[in-house]
Amino acid sequence: RRELGLGRVRVRAEALDDGHSVKVRWNDGLEGIVDFAPMMEKGVFQALRDPDLFRQVRVEAYGHHLYWIDVDGDEIDIC
């Protein structure tokens, strides 16, 4: 689970055990689940099929997007 945010808004992201969904929660109580399975079949997002990488989901400093760092050190991001 990763949590980040500057100022008053804080965002938390947690990869779920299904290997393709992330639970996103804001400090105001709003939350949702994002299913990345369809995206994981295309392009750079195929790397997210690796369960170890997928569990390393991070939140950008301002809470604008989620991202992962792949084995080459490149950022895979979702805005």
Side-chain angles (χ1 to χ4, degrees), residues 2-60:
R2 312 285 176 164
E3 182 175 330
L4 203 56
L6 302 176
R8 299 174 118 159
V9 177
R10 296 193 67 78
V11 180
R12 177 181 295 172
E14 178 179 357
L16 301 180
D17 291 336
D18 65 7
H20 56 82
S21 299
V22 173
K23 184 175 193 175
V24 180
R25 181 179 303 143
W26 286 261
N27 65 333
D28 65 359
L30 181 65
E31 66 180 36
I33 295 176
V34 182
D35 182 357
F36 291 102
M39 296 177 73
M40 294 164 86
E41 300 301 318
K42 300 176 182 157
V44 299
F45 301 111
Q46 290 178 355
L48 297 178
R49 290 188 278 181
D50 175 349
D52 292 327
L53 176 61
F54 191 77
R55 281 191 294 271
Q56 296 176 33
V57 63
R58 302 172 187 199
V59 179
E60 181 266 339

